[in-house]
Amino acid sequence: MSVDNVWRNWGRNVTAVPLRSERPAGMADLQRSVARASAAGLRVKAVGAGHSFTAAAATDGVQLNLDGLQGLVSADTETGRVRLLAGTRLYQVPALLAPYGLAMPNLGDIDRQSLAGAISTGTHGTGAAFGGLSTQVRGLTLVQPDGGLLDLTHDDPLLPAAALGLGALGVIADVTLQCVPAFVLRAEERSEPLGEVLAGLTDRVKAADHFEFYWFPHTDRAATKTNTRLPGTAQRRPLSPAGRWLDETLLSNTVFRATCAAGLAAPAVIPAVNRAAARMLGGRDYADASDRVFAQRRTVRFREMEYALPAARLESAFTALRQLVRERRWRISFPVEVRWAAADGLWLSTAHGRDTAYIAVHRYYREEYRDYFDAVEEVMLAHGGRPHWGKLHTLTAADLAGRYPHFTDFLAVRDRLDPDRVFANAYLDRVLGP
């Protein structure tokens, strides 16, 4: 095994050395790769952009890079359904949909992921009336262990399992998404007193199409983001190139990277830096195509843990988190992110069966994160939390089974579709069982 074959995720906390790496050039090539590996008794994992903080894509068997399966297969403007190849990056999708006047209904704040990777790990944005990306799935094509294809349509009883399947049920070859007419988002970004944000939080979340806030530890301020959906014909007031560069390149990346490095060298400066940052990030109003508002460019590497909570328990959990930071006297440079999602019916969705709020904690990738994450995880579990499948957590199948009503149903489907665990790896062995 050559060091040239070492794979690393974006966060640089996961490495793997596959026995071999392959890059299928198309559907037939992908089928042959899976069948060949399976016949040789090797495990197979597909890899996209490597944006999972867990080892979801790591393998010591055959790693399949799906960059050769990108692009639009078909689009139906009457139904709004589009079929895309699995390796298509989220940031590529808007240009592919533009000729048809369509857009994805919701996106997260990072769009570097592959489509298959994003839905398989439960990527989501924010908005109390909107589900995660997997809820947009209306069909899938899965490559099975023998190389055969399993086509799941919108009414297939297996789709609620496969639309967010952790890569455990086969290699996704293409995805059919339910899109909406292209729309404009009006963005309002503010720096506000945290107490005021929390006091009116319930009404604010319900009133907004998409609301989220960031709390900077060691401060009493929050950076809020409120996005309002407007028709695609609405007037756009995009950020100027200079304004976008100032916020996304200089402040959010270059300066923030420097402040993280300074905090690593001298943790005592972090509270002052956070207070300055909390006041700088805000005060923008603009309107643009939805994808240009939902997602922003992020180049500062970090590690992340995120938990999904019953929405009604958000404020209690957030209060406990703030108290924890005070009591432990940690110095945390990265803000805490809070978002929302609507309940859905996907078997392994973190929002399954309940309106959901998310709390995400981060640490700069050169900082030690375990003590902070472990303590926060205890708080989240005490509030009924479910961990994001693509972000750091310590739970096992035994811990997770009671948090998902359809957990055993999912395992039964896995036993049927992949009895020999061709698509397993160490991460799936931990969270689903061997």
Side-chain angles (χ1 to χ4, degrees):
M1 289 182 284
S2 167
V3 292
D4 294 335
N5 207 34
V6 173
W7 174 84
R8 294 180 177 84
N9 69 336
W10 181 85
R12 296 297 188 264
N13 64 305
V14 177
T15 60
V17 184
L19 183 65
R20 65 173 183 262
S21 299
E22 299 181 8
R23 183 171 175 160
M27 182 80 76
D29 204 11
L30 174 60
Q31 291 176 259
R32 284 190 292 270
S33 290
V34 173
R36 185 167 55 244
S38 178
L42 299 174
R43 287 182 165 189
V44 178
K45 292 306 295 182
V47 63
H51 260 271
S52 173
F53 296 94
T54 70
T59 186
D60 56 3
V62 178
Q63 187 174 71
L64 301 179
N65 182 315
L66 298 189
D67 285 353
L69 281 84
Q70 295 184 349
L72 181 70
V73 178
S74 62
D76 186 331
T77 54
E78 289 189 11
T79 63
R81 292 184 182 174
V82 301
R83 191 174 181 183
L84 295 150
L85 293 174
T88 307
R89 297 293 195 263
L90 293 178
Y91 68 83
Q92 297 171 323
V93 174
L96 296 172
L97 300 185
Y100 305 96
L102 297 172
M104 293 177 67
N106 201 5
L107 285 168
D109 54 8
I110 294 176
D111 61 3
R112 300 292 102 178
Q113 307 97 317
S114 70
L115 176 58
I119 66 171
S120 294
T121 54
T123 296
H124 62 91
T126 192
F130 296 87
L133 269 62
S134 300
T135 66
Q136 301 171 27
V137 175
R138 295 297 180 270
L140 288 173
T141 301
L142 291 172
V143 181
Q144 296 295 274
D146 63 357
L149 298 179
L150 177 61
D151 291 316
L152 304 179
T153 58
H154 70 282
D155 56 355
D156 195 297
L158 293 185
L159 193 61
L164 201 170
L166 309 183
L169 305 181
V171 175
I172 298 175
D174 62 48
V175 181
T176 298
L177 295 177
Q178 180 64 62
C179 294
V180 298
F183 61 101
V184 169
L185 280 178
R186 179 192 175 191
E188 300 171 83
E189 300 176 3
R190 301 284 183 267
S191 174
E192 304 182 50
L194 179 62
E196 292 182 11
V197 173
L198 295 177
L201 193 58
T202 300
D203 291 340
R204 194 163 180 175
V205 170
K206 289 181 179 179
D209 290 323
H210 308 276
F211 176 77
E212 65 183 306
F213 75 86
Y214 294 82
W215 169 60
F216 288 80
H218 322 300
T219 79
D220 60 357
R221 301 198 68 81
T224 64
K225 295 187 176 185
T226 305
N227 294 335
T228 302
R229 300 167 80 93
L230 302 173
T233 56
Q235 182 179 0
R236 301 185 187 188
R237 295 180 290 101
L239 293 170
S240 67
R244 186 173 287 273
W245 176 86
L246 177 65
D247 180 74
E248 294 189 9
T249 300
L250 183 61
L251 291 179
S252 296
N253 288 304
T254 304
V255 173
F256 190 50
R257 183 181 293 106
T259 58
C260 285
L264 181 65
V269 307
I270 288 175
V273 170
N274 281 9
R275 287 192 291 272
R279 291 185 178 277
M280 280 194 301
L281 293 180
R284 300 197 308 178
D285 284 359
Y286 59 100
D288 207 342
S290 57
D291 62 281
R292 291 180 60 80
V293 176
F294 279 136
Q296 296 183 334
R297 186 169 177 264
R298 294 287 181 260
T299 62
V300 179
R301 296 187 194 275
F302 55 86
R303 279 75 186 267
E304 181 176 0
M305 182 177 73
E306 183 173 45
Y307 262 81
L309 308 168
R313 304 195 71 181
L314 178 279
E315 292 186 51
S316 174
F318 184 74
T319 298
L321 167 60
R322 293 174 63 205
Q323 182 177 350
L324 189 65
V325 172
R326 286 196 301 270
E327 291 176 350
R328 300 293 179 91
R329 298 187 177 182
W330 291 314
R331 290 293 179 259
I332 308 298
S333 56
F334 255 87
V336 174
E337 184 178 21
V338 182
R339 295 182 286 175
W340 283 263
D344 65 57
L346 303 179
W347 292 2
L348 293 187
S349 170
T350 50
H352 177 87
R354 66 192 195 191
D355 291 333
T356 295
Y358 293 91
I359 294 180
V361 294
H362 315 69
R363 294 223 75 169
Y364 183 49
Y365 83 115
R366 294 186 182 279
E367 292 178 316
E368 174 54 51
Y369 63 85
R370 290 177 182 84
D371 287 349
Y372 177 39
F373 284 14
D374 287 351
V376 172
E377 186 171 53
E378 287 187 23
V379 170
M380 300 302 136
L381 292 174
H383 286 81
R386 296 168 177 162
H388 189 301
W389 294 106
K391 299 178 184 179
L392 293 167
H393 67 92
T394 66
L395 271 58
T396 66
D399 303 315
L400 292 160
R403 295 176 185 267
Y404 289 91
H406 287 285
F407 195 83
T408 55
D409 297 325
F410 184 90
L411 298 185
V413 172
R414 186 191 189 204
D415 286 341
R416 178 154 61 91
L417 298 184
D418 187 22
D420 297 323
R421 301 296 188 259
V422 172
F423 304 116
N425 63 2
Y427 179 68
L428 292 187
D429 289 345
R430 174 165 72 88
V431 300
L432 296 180

